[in-house]
Amino acid sequence: MSALIEKCVAIDGPCGSGKSSIAKVVAERLGALYVDTGAMFRAIGYFCFKNKIPFSEGDSLSSCIADLKLVYRKGDNSSGVYIEIGGEDLTDVIREHYVSELASKISKLQTVRDFLLMFQRAIAQHSLCVMEGRDIGTVVFPHSFCKIFLTAKDSVRANRRLLQLKEKGDCTVTFETVLADVKDRDERDMNRAVAPLKQASDAILLDSSDMSKDDVVEKIIDLVKESSCKNRLKI
Ligand code: DC
């Protein structure tokens, strides 16, 4: 294996593109670990909010991050993720609607990104991973053997997000508010100075607007197989 090929499937894309549910199934099919990096930003955003740590660079944030006891592993719930900080299980609370904004805001900060970069790279040392986020193919694993950039039209993404929230029993949200939140988050995620959301030059673009989840999964599995053959990797 070339030293410059990283054995991690990188799936990036904006919110609501279907990354999480698709990456989870792709990982199961490949016998790989599913890594939801958004869950990590969510957990840190929630933790800082709860502990009144300002969302800005400075001593409070630095010492909070230096002492952070973050645990990420496979969960046996529907998200496939278990996450805790300092022994507190945050698996469910990070999926609350308001935590999306906290995650997006905390993700702008270099201290947080530096910490999670090391954390994410360390996870992938031990097993084949399917890692999804915003900067996996551009920053975390720039030499990933298979990079996918998954997207969908704004209205499709907002509808998917709305459905997820309704399924969780949140009846307060409307299509308009979710669409506005999706656009706000895109704006912040794409325009931040550090590791912004963007398609890596060697990533394959997949628009899932008119595709079923199964079709997207099959397409990605095919791409992973093709890339592993091309790079002579055993998957
Ligand atoms: O994928 P998600 O919606 O759970 O992510 C929540 C926020 O975390 C998202 O708005 C931006 C941030 N994020 C990031 O900056 N980089 C990542 N690799 C993953 C998420």
Side-chain angles (χ1 to χ4, degrees):
M1 181 175 109
S2 155
L4 282 178
I5 300 291
E6 290 158 334
K7 207 172 159 183
C8 170
V9 178
I11 304 184
D12 290 303
C15 54
S17 55
K19 289 186 313 289
S20 303
S21 58
I22 284 160
K24 189 179 142 225
V25 180
V26 169
E28 278 163 11
R29 292 266 303 269
L30 296 173
L33 177 67
Y34 162 54
V35 186
D36 171 359
T37 60
M40 299 169 189
F41 287 96
R42 284 171 180 270
I44 297 179
Y46 172 78
F47 183 81
C48 289
F49 171 72
K50 194 178 151 209
N51 292 290
K52 303 194 169 42
I53 313 276
F55 279 42
S56 54
E57 295 293 355
D59 291 347
S60 311
L61 183 74
S62 297
S63 62
C64 161
I65 296 297
D67 294 340
L68 206 70
K69 306 263 177 305
L70 178 66
V71 174
Y72 178 97
R73 60 173 182 262
K74 184 176 190 292
D76 48 17
N77 54 1
S78 60
S79 73
V81 170
Y82 171 83
I83 196 154
E84 65 168 54
I85 293 183
E88 188 187 352
D89 180 356
L90 303 180
T91 306
D92 292 330
V93 74
I94 59 162
R95 303 299 169 189
E96 297 287 331
H97 189 48
Y98 74 95
V99 181
S100 304
E101 195 180 338
L102 299 177
S104 183
K105 288 187 170 157
I106 207 82
S107 71
K108 284 170 44 175
L109 303 172
Q110 184 83 57
T111 305
V112 174
R113 299 210 77 90
D114 287 348
F115 170 81
L116 284 181
L117 177 70
M118 303 311 288
F119 188 82
Q120 290 154 8
R121 285 185 178 162
I123 288 182
Q125 277 184 354
H126 306 294
S127 53
L128 173 68
C129 289
V130 176
M131 193 174 285
E132 54 105 344
R134 305 291 190 288
D135 60 340
I136 313 304
T138 49
V139 176
V140 185
F141 290 110
H143 306 296
S144 153
F145 76 102
C146 184
K147 299 183 189 178
I148 314 285
F149 193 84
L150 192 59
T151 188
K153 290 185 195 112
D154 294 358
S155 58
V156 172
R157 295 191 289 122
N159 260 322
R160 287 178 185 160
R161 189 82 194 104
L162 185 65
L163 200 70
Q164 275 174 356
L165 291 166
K166 290 208 161 143
E167 275 168 6
K168 276 186 21 202
D170 188 342
C171 299
T172 58
V173 285
T174 62
F175 174 78
E176 286 70 27
T177 53
V178 176
L179 181 63
D181 288 350
V182 160
K183 287 185 174 171
D184 268 7
R185 271 219 281 160
D186 285 354
E187 175 70 20
R188 256 198 309 270
D189 293 347
M190 290 190 297
N191 295 309
R192 64 172 173 240
V194 205
L197 165 67
K198 71 166 187 243
Q199 184 182 346
S201 56
D202 52 349
I204 295 154
L205 179 68
L206 260 185
D207 185 330
S208 70
S209 304
D210 302 313
M211 289 172 83
S212 70
K213 180 179 160 187
D214 286 352
D215 288 347
V216 180
V217 168
E218 291 310 326
K219 178 78 193 160
I220 293 180
I221 297 276
D222 286 350
L223 291 169
V224 171
K225 286 184 180 159
E226 248 172 58
S227 307
S228 56
C229 274
K230 211 159 57 192
N231 290 290
R232 297 202 183 88
L233 287 178
K234 233 175 151 192
I235 293 294

